[in-house]
Amino acid sequence: MDPQSSFLYPIAMSHKKILILDFGSQYTQLIARRVRETNVYCELHPWDMSEADIRAMNPSGIILSGGPNSVTEGDTPRAPQVVFELGVPVLGICYGMQTMAAQLGGAVENGLVREFGYAEIRAQGHSSLLKDIQDRVSDQGHGLIDVWMSHGDKVTALPAGFSVIASNPTTPIAGMADEARRFYALQFHPEVTHTHQGTAMLARFVHDICGCGHDWNMPDYISEAVEKIRAQVGGDEVILGLSGGVDSSVAAALLHRAIGTQLTCVFVDNGLLRLNEAEQVMETFAQNLGVKVIHVDASAEFLHHLAGVTDPEQKRKIIGREFVEVFQRESAKLSQAKWLAQGTIYPDVIESAGGKNKKAHTIKSHHNVGGLPDTMHLKLLEPLRELFKDEVRELGVQLGLPPAMVYRHPFPGPGLGVRILGEVKKEYADLLRRADAIFMEELNATVDEAGKSWYAKTSQAFVVFLPVKSVGVMGDGRTYEWVVSLRAVQTQDFMTAHWAHLPYELLGRVSNRIINEVRGINRVVYDISGKPPATIEWE
């Protein structure tokens, strides 16, 4: 069994757990996050997980996710048969419902009408899953639930032992259940926020039906993680690449709690950090937390290797390679260092993994996933590998990190290297740093009627440097200078996002300050693209 692709960390073995089999839905990570939010541990694995690994995991329940395929086609994914033989509750969602129906003797057909978006269903049959869950009651006394549909195929005949538990005119079998075997299925998506009672449904499944408690929480996680880290590391020294971002910062705080002076952090200034970031990181960790931090200024080295490179993926690979080379060089100075710690988190692992058939699409590479060069001679330590971002933030607060650091907007691993479009130059990075700092200052200083800052109201905000010049007029003179774009989005899960409707006055102040205070920029634009079709970052 490959420890990198099977169970994420030994901590999980002490918890009752839910297994989520991923059939390729864009919402699968949301299922896992919703389950975790109910204080239940879960793991997400490809649909073709082996029977041996499923049995070894010993799940208390299994969820089959949605997916883009059609079960009416013969070569599309199916759930491992062991799922229906373990004797544990199973919940199928969308495609998961369809493959459950097909595999257990029901029928699935291509629907004449594709159902996508908001729908109203009637809960019926008083099933264990949906009983007393409703948004309102009809004039006839039937419980009605607002849900989010996204399907073309539909179940048209129930497998033996199943009954209908939800329906509407378009989808007569919108939910089904075999109470004796504790098999449940929903054609809609309870994991998305559009299904208002979705969290209640998932909580009902994992707690009441699967019998899981509420033992997945950060205070308990800290004590368990500290114990496991100490057992794993022993008396060895650990080196951690500290970027100043949330993930590596929380990893540093957790490791310091566990092994103290056995941890040495290497903070690499790659020339692509935000304004005054190096000073802030050193002050937070070295001065306030007492963590050993080596500050390496490798900015000239990184910028040299990035010269002339314009492809975003190539820039990411170069930056990742240079980080490893710096770590190799610094680790050679620490004779007792046996481990390299990384701030890898669960979404990194999921996005860089695929099933046995390797059909998953890679959106972009993660420089901290995929192991280390053989020449490094260090073992890999990933204490946050099983946590989602919101869990990492909660852990950081519990460990005593400053809220301003823990709740800072996400910053890409390659830093400003992917916020400077095209070739990266020191001149561009210096301009972008100053413009970005002004944007952050104004977002923090501008509050709404409730006293909440626009920085807190946006999920991610930053400035992008555009490699084009525009004509401008300042005073009585003509200028020909660079253009930057402001980007601010609001999102709950970063899978989809809306551009933030910032007040015009705020945008005006930011534009005026950047143009007046950052010599070399004479035009500021605002990106009003959503995700999709755009991504949040430009590269």
Side-chain angles (χ1 to χ4, degrees), residues 115-141:
E115 197 169 15
F116 179 81
Y118 164 80
E120 180 183 75
I121 65 162
R122 171 190 165 189
Q124 58 192 67
H126 302 287
S127 67
S128 298
L129 182 65
L130 300 181
K131 184 179 180 181
D132 299 326
I133 293 179
Q134 59 192 32
D135 286 301
R136 57 191 166 277
V137 178
S138 70
D139 294 339
Q140 295 76 32

Side-chain angles (χ1 to χ4, degrees), residues 90-132:
V90 181
L91 172 62
I93 296 174
C94 197
Y95 184 91
M97 171 175 171
Q98 294 160 12
T99 195
M100 178 189 288
Q103 290 181 244
L104 297 179
V108 180
E109 297 178 3
N110 291 118
L112 295 176
V113 179
R114 187 172 185 268
E115 197 169 15
F116 179 81
Y118 164 80
E120 180 183 75
I121 65 162
R122 171 190 165 189
Q124 58 192 67
H126 302 287
S127 67
S128 298
L129 182 65
L130 300 181
K131 184 179 180 181
D132 299 326

